[in-house]
Amino acid sequence: MVFNSFAPQICFQEVPDEVSLAFTITGCPLRCQGCHSQDTWDPETGIQLNNDNFQHYLTRYQGLVSCVLFFGGEWNPAALLDKLSLAKKHGLKTCLYTGKTKVSQHLIAQLDYLKTGAWRPNQGGLEKEKTNQRFIELATGNLLNFKFREHHHAIS
Ligand code: SF4
């Protein structure tokens, strides 16, 4: 199962205490006002991320990352589930950033972390006290938003 992605990036802050290999999946249908990623809205943008080239990335970054992070992709659940279970087979943790407020139990079963909530310019991102977004560690149900605020304070 296939969807399109930009080339993956290594991220240090998007998942607390993990080094993440992050894939931005194109084709987000939510069209939030003020979205900073409107260049990703077109599902034809980017390169096809199939199971083979995804495995190739996992092998290339083996030992360098602890987690695989998807920015979106829940609109193609079969393709996303394939990738999450491959990441788990490689011993990696998994995280999904979604603009929705919840995702299916099938996806939850393959995820360690989940960030929910659309971008609302007047409420801000995870580092803001008044944000509508939630970053959850699924094994414990703990809300980890405080880790983003700590980091923000540390660098500002
Ligand atoms: S969910 Fe994220 S990528 Fe999608 S439109 Fe909203 S802010 Fe943009």
Side-chain angles (χ1 to χ4, degrees), residues 48-65:
Q48 266 196 8
L49 187 64
N50 57 32
N51 290 351
D52 283 346
N53 59 13
F54 182 68
Q55 291 251 39
H56 176 75
Y57 284 125
L58 295 185
T59 306
R60 189 195 295 176
Y61 287 95
Q62 195 155 15
L64 299 173
V65 296

Side-chain angles (χ1 to χ4, degrees), residues 28-32 35-38 40-41 98-100 117-119:
C28 179
L30 293 185
R31 302 186 174 240
C32 305
C35 169
H36 295 299
S37 313
Q38 295 189 18
T40 70
W41 283 3
T98 175
K100 296 168 73 173
W119 167 252

Side-chain angles (χ1 to χ4, degrees), residues 29-140:
L30 293 185
R31 302 186 174 240
C32 305
Q33 208 185 1
C35 169
H36 295 299
S37 313
Q38 295 189 18
D39 57 330
T40 70
W41 283 3
D42 178 357
E44 304 299 325
T45 307
I47 51 157
Q48 266 196 8
L49 187 64
N50 57 32
N51 290 351
D52 283 346
N53 59 13
F54 182 68
Q55 291 251 39
H56 176 75
Y57 284 125
L58 295 185
T59 306
R60 189 195 295 176
Y61 287 95
Q62 195 155 15
L64 299 173
V65 296
S66 60
C67 184
V68 171
L69 165 60
F70 283 91
F71 293 118
E74 71 280 2
W75 47 86
N76 192 339
L80 183 56
L81 273 170
D82 278 355
K83 309 297 175 296
L84 294 174
S85 65
L86 283 170
K88 291 225 152 251
K89 282 188 192 132
H90 276 72
L92 294 165
K93 295 202 175 164
T94 54
C95 179
L96 171 67
Y97 269 52
T98 175
K100 296 168 73 173
T101 51
K102 56 182 174 188
V103 296
S104 76
Q105 282 305 319
H106 295 297
L107 283 174
I108 299 258
Q110 296 295 333
L111 284 167
D112 294 287
Y113 304 102
L114 179 65
K115 183 243 115 192
T116 62
W119 167 252
R120 304 230 173 92
N122 58 345
Q123 289 182 278
L126 288 165
E127 76 286 359
K128 299 284 187 202
E129 204 75 57
K130 63 181 177 181
T131 188
N132 61 302
Q133 302 186 327
R134 294 164 59 82
F135 189 100
I136 305 151
E137 181 182 50
L138 290 164
T140 58

